[in-house]
Amino acid sequence: MNSLIHQTGSGQRVVRLTPGKRVLFLTKDLELIRKQLRGEVNLSMSDIDPADLLDDINTDTMTPAWVCFRYKPEDIALDAYAGLLDGDGERVFETKALMDGGFEVIVSGQRKGTGSSRETAPQCEKWSGIELVIASSFAPIHMRNNLNLGQLMGDYKVLQRLQAGEEIALDELTDQYDPVTKVMLESGGLFSFNACYAKNEVSVPVPQTAAKPMTMAEKILAKKIVGGEAGRAQYLAPGDVCLVSVDGGYSHEFTTAQVHHFLTEEFGADYEVQNPGKFGVFEDHLLYAGDVTRMAPFIDKIQILRDLQVTFQKHTGVRDYSAKDGVSPGICHQIAREEFVDPGDFIQATDSHTCMGGGGNALTYGVGATEYAGLIYSGFTFVKVPESIRFDLQGELHPGCTAKDVILHILDTFAKREDTLDRVMEFGGSGLASLSVDERATLCNMATECSAKSGICEADAATVDWLMEKREGLTRADLEAACVSADDAAHYDGGRHTIDLSAIKPMVAEPGDPTYGKNIEDLGQVKIDVAYAGSCTAGKEGDFDFYAQVLRDALDAGRKVADGVSMYVQYGSEAVRDYARDKGYVEIFEQAGVKIIQPGCGACIGCGPGVSDTTEQVAVSAINRNFQGRSGPGPLYLASPLTVAASAIMGHIVEYRPGMFA
């Protein structure tokens, strides 16, 4: 239970700061953070201008990949904020700095916890003694993970009152949430709430929303409600809270060990899971970590994660996508959409890019280990129905543009304004038909970079055709019946926005954050050392069509990968590898001087070939996230598959134009 919560003589529960405990302000002045950690200065909210607080603190900063190689929260907390580095690449937080600082409150700026769904981020705070998290706003998955852990959250006014010596009624901090979340938070987190629910001490009533037009997300969730009346149409609106069944999900070797640890602790060694045939485990993220110098020291810890995932899979009987003979079947998000995510599904998995499944007309998003453990055990979870924002696509893209440029444009505009924050991004309109199903998956994959809840595309004949080609045993009639579309009069809290695809220009995201967008024509000449073509975002069949198109153009003009540049292509799955082989792409890659990597993940989180090795090396990459140090120490530009391949040939970042190498 949170130690800031106290019960008065009258029985009221209040929050008050603990005498002798401290408040840590995460300021843009990193030396000021160091002074606080050393105990040289104590600050109050009245001393701070919110503009001076760090914004967009991402989960990689809080717990970089090497910290996540531990699976026990108390061990993870030892190196809290190990990814916060100064201009010289030195850690601001040394080992145990947060834990030994005597802090119980931590304060930052906007969009706290962007990036990954890794629950290790709030765990590093909680197990270091932090009981209250203050920020201007929170990324949605990170907020949910805090709630699942029973972490109180508040704004600057709350902190000012507490630092002035005031006691604040607990209700003031929890009334902002729906009734179920309020009870969960006040009871100490998700597992405590689940125990109360199992004893019938709390209930989750079925919403009684009147008939109304609905968005795609609302329709999917309405069909999954637990406890509804048989035969009665159910309607949902943003803010409604309900229990819903979960159709499936997955975890990978980065997260499964902690899921298994939590399930064993909470339910005993003989725990069982529901519907194992629709859940899976993947060995994809860390398979190539041994090839990266700075990750090699952690191989023993990584092997423990692998071993615990094997234990979990054998215990539960979920789908097994382990590597065989050192080769992974592929990236979890790509294989899931190929093999078991269906239109109309509600899918939860322990990775923020789970939203990629929305390209196939499913509602999919990432959750933390606690929430995943709870839902795979019970088969259901509780949700607060999210708001939505609609993007109607019109026209067609120019030959040098892809869906990556579209989402970079959205990041640079709508996400910067927080229009997409915690909302489901719906994609539709006549222009959607001009994008392949793989390109639609790119749009949805990077919804999480927009700090959105998820992304979802309307289904059409192309969606059904793609699934029919990928799966056996599916009928067209069943697939068409499962597809979900929004009602014409559905309400969008984020508004409806038209995007003219023909107006999109080739873009990059400059180093540091995916929202730092710039048109390539305005970039100037940026010399590169590394070009990486792969990841869940850009390791699909359609992406390999793009890579091959550019490299074939180059070969026809007598060009290869530029001297001094290393270009890597990595397949998203075995099916993508087979597709590339059958199309003759392997020969094109080899002739162009490209290094080919077997299916899997890795470079995106700094755990595989394709990363920079020094701070001087510059990379252009088709991945989805370019936080400082995430994919190597050097600057990293995000770009489309076309741009990455063309830049590898030219030796600097350029937009692709057919025939440009002649």
PDB file of all heavy atoms in Angstrom, residues 373-398:
ATOM      1  N   ALA A 373      -0.256 -10.307 -17.368  1.00  0.00           N
ATOM      2  CA  ALA A 373      -0.377 -11.482 -16.498  1.00  0.00           C
ATOM      3  C   ALA A 373      -1.819 -11.669 -16.048  1.00  0.00           C
ATOM      4  O   ALA A 373      -2.351 -12.789 -16.038  1.00  0.00           O
ATOM      5  CB  ALA A 373       0.544 -11.336 -15.287  1.00  0.00           C
ATOM      6  N   GLY A 374      -2.472 -10.571 -15.687  1.00  0.00           N
ATOM      7  CA  GLY A 374      -3.857 -10.667 -15.245  1.00  0.00           C
ATOM      8  C   GLY A 374      -4.808 -11.128 -16.323  1.00  0.00           C
ATOM      9  O   GLY A 374      -5.681 -11.970 -16.095  1.00  0.00           O
ATOM     10  N   LEU A 375      -4.643 -10.625 -17.539  1.00  0.00           N
ATOM     11  CA  LEU A 375      -5.602 -10.960 -18.589  1.00  0.00           C
ATOM     12  C   LEU A 375      -5.366 -12.343 -19.183  1.00  0.00           C
ATOM     13  O   LEU A 375      -6.321 -13.017 -19.598  1.00  0.00           O
ATOM     14  CB  LEU A 375      -5.591  -9.884 -19.678  1.00  0.00           C
ATOM     15  CG  LEU A 375      -4.367  -9.733 -20.578  1.00  0.00           C
ATOM     16  CD1 LEU A 375      -4.406 -10.636 -21.790  1.00  0.00           C
ATOM     17  CD2 LEU A 375      -4.216  -8.276 -21.023  1.00  0.00           C
ATOM     18  N   ILE A 376      -4.114 -12.785 -19.232  1.00  0.00           N
ATOM     19  CA  ILE A 376      -3.882 -14.126 -19.778  1.00  0.00           C
ATOM     20  C   ILE A 376      -4.334 -15.188 -18.781  1.00  0.00           C
ATOM     21  O   ILE A 376      -4.720 -16.297 -19.153  1.00  0.00           O
ATOM     22  CB  ILE A 376      -2.394 -14.311 -20.176  1.00  0.00           C
ATOM     23  CG1 ILE A 376      -2.231 -15.505 -21.123  1.00  0.00           C
ATOM     24  CG2 ILE A 376      -1.501 -14.458 -18.970  1.00  0.00           C
ATOM     25  CD1 ILE A 376      -0.846 -15.644 -21.710  1.00  0.00           C
ATOM     26  N   TYR A 377      -4.350 -14.823 -17.500  1.00  0.00           N
ATOM     27  CA  TYR A 377      -4.843 -15.735 -16.458  1.00  0.00           C
ATOM     28  C   TYR A 377      -6.364 -15.815 -16.473  1.00  0.00           C
ATOM     29  O   TYR A 377      -6.942 -16.900 -16.374  1.00  0.00           O
ATOM     30  CB  TYR A 377      -4.354 -15.261 -15.091  1.00  0.00           C
ATOM     31  CG  TYR A 377      -4.843 -16.087 -13.928  1.00  0.00           C
ATOM     32  CD1 TYR A 377      -4.229 -17.291 -13.595  1.00  0.00           C
ATOM     33  CD2 TYR A 377      -5.917 -15.658 -13.157  1.00  0.00           C
ATOM     34  CE1 TYR A 377      -4.677 -18.058 -12.522  1.00  0.00           C
ATOM     35  CE2 TYR A 377      -6.374 -16.409 -12.079  1.00  0.00           C
ATOM     36  CZ  TYR A 377      -5.752 -17.608 -11.767  1.00  0.00           C
ATOM     37  OH  TYR A 377      -6.199 -18.358 -10.699  1.00  0.00           O
ATOM     38  N   SER A 378      -7.026 -14.669 -16.628  1.00  0.00           N
ATOM     39  CA  SER A 378      -8.490 -14.631 -16.519  1.00  0.00           C
ATOM     40  C   SER A 378      -9.204 -14.718 -17.862  1.00  0.00           C
ATOM     41  O   SER A 378     -10.363 -15.137 -17.928  1.00  0.00           O
ATOM     42  CB  SER A 378      -8.923 -13.343 -15.818  1.00  0.00           C
ATOM     43  OG  SER A 378      -8.587 -12.207 -16.603  1.00  0.00           O
ATOM     44  N   GLY A 379      -8.550 -14.284 -18.925  1.00  0.00           N
ATOM     45  CA  GLY A 379      -9.201 -14.247 -20.230  1.00  0.00           C
ATOM     46  C   GLY A 379      -9.919 -12.940 -20.505  1.00  0.00           C
ATOM     47  O   GLY A 379     -10.482 -12.743 -21.578  1.00  0.00           O
ATOM     48  N   PHE A 380      -9.929 -12.040 -19.549  1.00  0.00           N
ATOM     49  CA  PHE A 380     -10.581 -10.749 -19.751  1.00  0.00           C
ATOM     50  C   PHE A 380      -9.788  -9.663 -19.034  1.00  0.00           C
ATOM     51  O   PHE A 380      -8.904  -9.937 -18.224  1.00  0.00           O
ATOM     52  CB  PHE A 380     -12.030 -10.764 -19.253  1.00  0.00           C
ATOM     53  CG  PHE A 380     -12.179 -11.133 -17.798  1.00  0.00           C
ATOM     54  CD1 PHE A 380     -11.980 -10.202 -16.779  1.00  0.00           C
ATOM     55  CD2 PHE A 380     -12.536 -12.430 -17.427  1.00  0.00           C
ATOM     56  CE1 PHE A 380     -12.119 -10.544 -15.447  1.00  0.00           C
ATOM     57  CE2 PHE A 380     -12.679 -12.783 -16.090  1.00  0.00           C
ATOM     58  CZ  PHE A 380     -12.463 -11.831 -15.095  1.00  0.00           C
ATOM     59  N   THR A 381     -10.129  -8.433 -19.355  1.00  0.00           N
ATOM     60  CA  THR A 381      -9.497  -7.297 -18.694  1.00  0.00           C
ATOM     61  C   THR A 381     -10.523  -6.190 -18.618  1.00  0.00           C
ATOM     62  O   THR A 381     -11.577  -6.249 -19.264  1.00  0.00           O
ATOM     63  CB  THR A 381      -8.250  -6.827 -19.472  1.00  0.00           C
ATOM     64  OG1 THR A 381      -7.514  -5.897 -18.689  1.00  0.00           O
ATOM     65  CG2 THR A 381      -8.637  -6.178 -20.790  1.00  0.00           C
ATOM     66  N   PHE A 382     -10.259  -5.186 -17.832  1.00  0.00           N
ATOM     67  CA  PHE A 382     -11.189  -4.062 -17.818  1.00  0.00           C
ATOM     68  C   PHE A 382     -10.570  -2.912 -18.588  1.00  0.00           C
ATOM     69  O   PHE A 382      -9.356  -2.691 -18.557  1.00  0.00           O
ATOM     70  CB  PHE A 382     -11.610  -3.680 -16.396  1.00  0.00           C
ATOM     71  CG  PHE A 382     -10.686  -2.782 -15.653  1.00  0.00           C
ATOM     72  CD1 PHE A 382     -10.776  -1.398 -15.785  1.00  0.00           C
ATOM     73  CD2 PHE A 382      -9.743  -3.294 -14.787  1.00  0.00           C
ATOM     74  CE1 PHE A 382      -9.937  -0.568 -15.094  1.00  0.00           C
ATOM     75  CE2 PHE A 382      -8.897  -2.460 -14.088  1.00  0.00           C
ATOM     76  CZ  PHE A 382      -8.990  -1.096 -14.243  1.00  0.00           C
ATOM     77  N   VAL A 383     -11.406  -2.195 -19.315  1.00  0.00           N
ATOM     78  CA  VAL A 383     -10.939  -1.084 -20.134  1.00  0.00           C
ATOM     79  C   VAL A 383     -11.804   0.144 -19.885  1.00  0.00           C
ATOM     80  O   VAL A 383     -12.983   0.038 -19.546  1.00  0.00           O
ATOM     81  CB  VAL A 383     -10.976  -1.412 -21.648  1.00  0.00           C
ATOM     82  CG1 VAL A 383     -10.102  -2.600 -21.975  1.00  0.00           C
ATOM     83  CG2 VAL A 383     -12.398  -1.642 -22.124  1.00  0.00           C
ATOM     84  N   LYS A 384     -11.189   1.276 -20.047  1.00  0.00           N
ATOM     85  CA  LYS A 384     -11.917   2.531 -20.159  1.00  0.00           C
ATOM     86  C   LYS A 384     -11.966   2.847 -21.644  1.00  0.00           C
ATOM     87  O   LYS A 384     -10.934   2.972 -22.297  1.00  0.00           O
ATOM     88  CB  LYS A 384     -11.205   3.639 -19.393  1.00  0.00           C
ATOM     89  CG  LYS A 384     -11.908   4.983 -19.473  1.00  0.00           C
ATOM     90  CD  LYS A 384     -11.144   6.037 -18.685  1.00  0.00           C
ATOM     91  CE  LYS A 384     -11.824   7.392 -18.774  1.00  0.00           C
ATOM     92  NZ  LYS A 384     -11.057   8.433 -18.039  1.00  0.00           N
ATOM     93  N   VAL A 385     -13.160   2.913 -22.198  1.00  0.00           N
ATOM     94  CA  VAL A 385     -13.314   3.075 -23.644  1.00  0.00           C
ATOM     95  C   VAL A 385     -12.598   4.352 -24.078  1.00  0.00           C
ATOM     96  O   VAL A 385     -12.848   5.438 -23.544  1.00  0.00           O
ATOM     97  CB  VAL A 385     -14.803   3.123 -24.037  1.00  0.00           C
ATOM     98  CG1 VAL A 385     -14.956   3.364 -25.539  1.00  0.00           C
ATOM     99  CG2 VAL A 385     -15.491   1.825 -23.624  1.00  0.00           C
ATOM    100  N   PRO A 386     -11.662   4.236 -25.022  1.00  0.00           N
ATOM    101  CA  PRO A 386     -10.867   5.408 -25.417  1.00  0.00           C
ATOM    102  C   PRO A 386     -11.607   6.328 -26.378  1.00  0.00           C
ATOM    103  O   PRO A 386     -12.538   5.914 -27.087  1.00  0.00           O
ATOM    104  CB  PRO A 386      -9.656   4.772 -26.109  1.00  0.00           C
ATOM    105  CG  PRO A 386     -10.190   3.492 -26.678  1.00  0.00           C
ATOM    106  CD  PRO A 386     -11.223   3.006 -25.694  1.00  0.00           C
ATOM    107  N   GLU A 387     -11.178   7.571 -26.395  1.00  0.00           N
ATOM    108  CA  GLU A 387     -11.610   8.498 -27.431  1.00  0.00           C
ATOM    109  C   GLU A 387     -10.928   8.117 -28.747  1.00  0.00           C
ATOM    110  O   GLU A 387      -9.960   7.355 -28.762  1.00  0.00           O
ATOM    111  CB  GLU A 387     -11.233   9.935 -27.055  1.00  0.00           C
ATOM    112  CG  GLU A 387     -11.928  10.447 -25.807  1.00  0.00           C
ATOM    113  CD  GLU A 387     -11.494  11.858 -25.447  1.00  0.00           C
ATOM    114  OE1 GLU A 387     -10.536  12.368 -26.073  1.00  0.00           O
ATOM    115  OE2 GLU A 387     -12.108  12.442 -24.529  1.00  0.00           O
ATOM    116  N   SER A 388     -11.436   8.675 -29.843  1.00  0.00           N
ATOM    117  CA  SER A 388     -10.848   8.396 -31.155  1.00  0.00           C
ATOM    118  C   SER A 388     -10.599   9.697 -31.901  1.00  0.00           C
ATOM    119  O   SER A 388     -11.191  10.742 -31.615  1.00  0.00           O
ATOM    120  CB  SER A 388     -11.767   7.495 -31.984  1.00  0.00           C
ATOM    121  OG  SER A 388     -11.858   6.202 -31.437  1.00  0.00           O
ATOM    122  N   ILE A 389      -9.699   9.620 -32.871  1.00  0.00           N
ATOM    123  CA  ILE A 389      -9.432  10.706 -33.810  1.00  0.00           C
ATOM    124  C   ILE A 389      -9.423  10.083 -35.201  1.00  0.00           C
ATOM    125  O   ILE A 389      -8.873   9.001 -35.393  1.00  0.00           O
ATOM    126  CB  ILE A 389      -8.102  11.420 -33.486  1.00  0.00           C
ATOM    127  CG1 ILE A 389      -7.824  12.552 -34.480  1.00  0.00           C
ATOM    128  CG2 ILE A 389      -6.930  10.442 -33.444  1.00  0.00           C
ATOM    129  CD1 ILE A 389      -6.619  13.420 -34.090  1.00  0.00           C
ATOM    130  N   ARG A 390     -10.053  10.728 -36.153  1.00  0.00           N
ATOM    131  CA  ARG A 390     -10.246  10.135 -37.485  1.00  0.00           C
ATOM    132  C   ARG A 390      -9.373  10.837 -38.522  1.00  0.00           C
ATOM    133  O   ARG A 390      -9.299  12.066 -38.575  1.00  0.00           O
ATOM    134  CB  ARG A 390     -11.721  10.272 -37.881  1.00  0.00           C
ATOM    135  CG  ARG A 390     -12.053   9.868 -39.304  1.00  0.00           C
ATOM    136  CD  ARG A 390     -12.223   8.394 -39.476  1.00  0.00           C
ATOM    137  NE  ARG A 390     -12.603   8.056 -40.836  1.00  0.00           N
ATOM    138  CZ  ARG A 390     -13.045   6.866 -41.219  1.00  0.00           C
ATOM    139  NH1 ARG A 390     -13.175   5.902 -40.322  1.00  0.00           N
ATOM    140  NH2 ARG A 390     -13.357   6.627 -42.454  1.00  0.00           N
ATOM    141  N   PHE A 391      -8.708  10.038 -39.367  1.00  0.00           N
ATOM    142  CA  PHE A 391      -7.928  10.551 -40.484  1.00  0.00           C
ATOM    143  C   PHE A 391      -8.511   9.982 -41.774  1.00  0.00           C
ATOM    144  O   PHE A 391      -8.457   8.770 -42.009  1.00  0.00           O
ATOM    145  CB  PHE A 391      -6.462  10.169 -40.351  1.00  0.00           C
ATOM    146  CG  PHE A 391      -5.791  10.802 -39.165  1.00  0.00           C
ATOM    147  CD1 PHE A 391      -5.633  10.102 -37.981  1.00  0.00           C
ATOM    148  CD2 PHE A 391      -5.344  12.113 -39.235  1.00  0.00           C
ATOM    149  CE1 PHE A 391      -5.032  10.692 -36.887  1.00  0.00           C
ATOM    150  CE2 PHE A 391      -4.733  12.711 -38.144  1.00  0.00           C
ATOM    151  CZ  PHE A 391      -4.588  12.002 -36.961  1.00  0.00           C
ATOM    152  N   ASP A 392      -9.084  10.856 -42.582  1.00  0.00           N
ATOM    153  CA  ASP A 392      -9.620  10.461 -43.884  1.00  0.00           C
ATOM    154  C   ASP A 392      -8.563  10.751 -44.943  1.00  0.00           C
ATOM    155  O   ASP A 392      -8.210  11.919 -45.184  1.00  0.00           O
ATOM    156  CB  ASP A 392     -10.907  11.233 -44.191  1.00  0.00           C
ATOM    157  CG  ASP A 392     -12.061  10.808 -43.295  1.00  0.00           C
ATOM    158  OD1 ASP A 392     -12.359   9.607 -43.257  1.00  0.00           O
ATOM    159  OD2 ASP A 392     -12.644  11.684 -42.624  1.00  0.00           O
ATOM    160  N   LEU A 393      -8.042   9.685 -45.544  1.00  0.00           N
ATOM    161  CA  LEU A 393      -6.986   9.827 -46.547  1.00  0.00           C
ATOM    162  C   LEU A 393      -7.613  10.024 -47.926  1.00  0.00           C
ATOM    163  O   LEU A 393      -8.579   9.347 -48.283  1.00  0.00           O
ATOM    164  CB  LEU A 393      -6.093   8.592 -46.543  1.00  0.00           C
ATOM    165  CG  LEU A 393      -5.535   8.149 -45.188  1.00  0.00           C
ATOM    166  CD1 LEU A 393      -4.604   6.962 -45.368  1.00  0.00           C
ATOM    167  CD2 LEU A 393      -4.826   9.282 -44.483  1.00  0.00           C
ATOM    168  N   GLN A 394      -7.028  10.931 -48.701  1.00  0.00           N
ATOM    169  CA  GLN A 394      -7.497  11.181 -50.065  1.00  0.00           C
ATOM    170  C   GLN A 394      -6.310  11.197 -51.008  1.00  0.00           C
ATOM    171  O   GLN A 394      -5.190  11.526 -50.612  1.00  0.00           O
ATOM    172  CB  GLN A 394      -8.237  12.518 -50.147  1.00  0.00           C
ATOM    173  CG  GLN A 394      -9.542  12.569 -49.379  1.00  0.00           C
ATOM    174  CD  GLN A 394     -10.271  13.890 -49.557  1.00  0.00           C
ATOM    175  OE1 GLN A 394      -9.757  14.825 -50.174  1.00  0.00           O
ATOM    176  NE2 GLN A 394     -11.479  13.976 -49.021  1.00  0.00           N
ATOM    177  N   GLY A 395      -6.574  10.847 -52.277  1.00  0.00           N
ATOM    178  CA  GLY A 395      -5.528  10.909 -53.284  1.00  0.00           C
ATOM    179  C   GLY A 395      -4.534   9.770 -53.174  1.00  0.00           C
ATOM    180  O   GLY A 395      -4.800   8.741 -52.540  1.00  0.00           O
ATOM    181  N   GLU A 396      -3.368   9.954 -53.786  1.00  0.00           N
ATOM    182  CA  GLU A 396      -2.324   8.938 -53.789  1.00  0.00           C
ATOM    183  C   GLU A 396      -0.964   9.584 -53.510  1.00  0.00           C
ATOM    184  O   GLU A 396      -0.748  10.764 -53.784  1.00  0.00           O
ATOM    185  CB  GLU A 396      -2.274   8.214 -55.141  1.00  0.00           C
ATOM    186  CG  GLU A 396      -3.525   7.425 -55.461  1.00  0.00           C
ATOM    187  CD  GLU A 396      -3.385   6.611 -56.739  1.00  0.00           C
ATOM    188  OE1 GLU A 396      -2.232   6.489 -57.227  1.00  0.00           O
ATOM    189  OE2 GLU A 396      -4.391   6.112 -57.235  1.00  0.00           O
ATOM    190  N   LEU A 397      -0.057   8.782 -52.990  1.00  0.00           N
ATOM    191  CA  LEU A 397       1.287   9.252 -52.692  1.00  0.00           C
ATOM    192  C   LEU A 397       2.121   9.394 -53.962  1.00  0.00           C
ATOM    193  O   LEU A 397       1.928   8.663 -54.931  1.00  0.00           O
ATOM    194  CB  LEU A 397       1.987   8.281 -51.738  1.00  0.00           C
ATOM    195  CG  LEU A 397       1.447   8.200 -50.313  1.00  0.00           C
ATOM    196  CD1 LEU A 397       2.069   6.998 -49.595  1.00  0.00           C
ATOM    197  CD2 LEU A 397       1.735   9.486 -49.550  1.00  0.00           C
ATOM    198  N   HIS A 398       3.073  10.327 -53.934  1.00  0.00           N
ATOM    199  CA  HIS A 398       4.047  10.435 -55.013  1.00  0.00           C
ATOM    200  C   HIS A 398       4.976   9.221 -54.986  1.00  0.00           C
ATOM    201  O   HIS A 398       5.123   8.558 -53.952  1.00  0.00           O
ATOM    202  CB  HIS A 398       4.869  11.712 -54.853  1.00  0.00           C
ATOM    203  CG  HIS A 398       4.082  12.964 -55.095  1.00  0.00           C
ATOM    204  ND1 HIS A 398       3.449  13.237 -56.281  1.00  0.00           N
ATOM    205  CD2 HIS A 398       3.813  14.024 -54.284  1.00  0.00           C
ATOM    206  CE1 HIS A 398       2.841  14.403 -56.212  1.00  0.00           C
ATOM    207  NE2 HIS A 398       3.034  14.900 -55.001  1.00  0.00           N
TER     208      HIS A 398
END
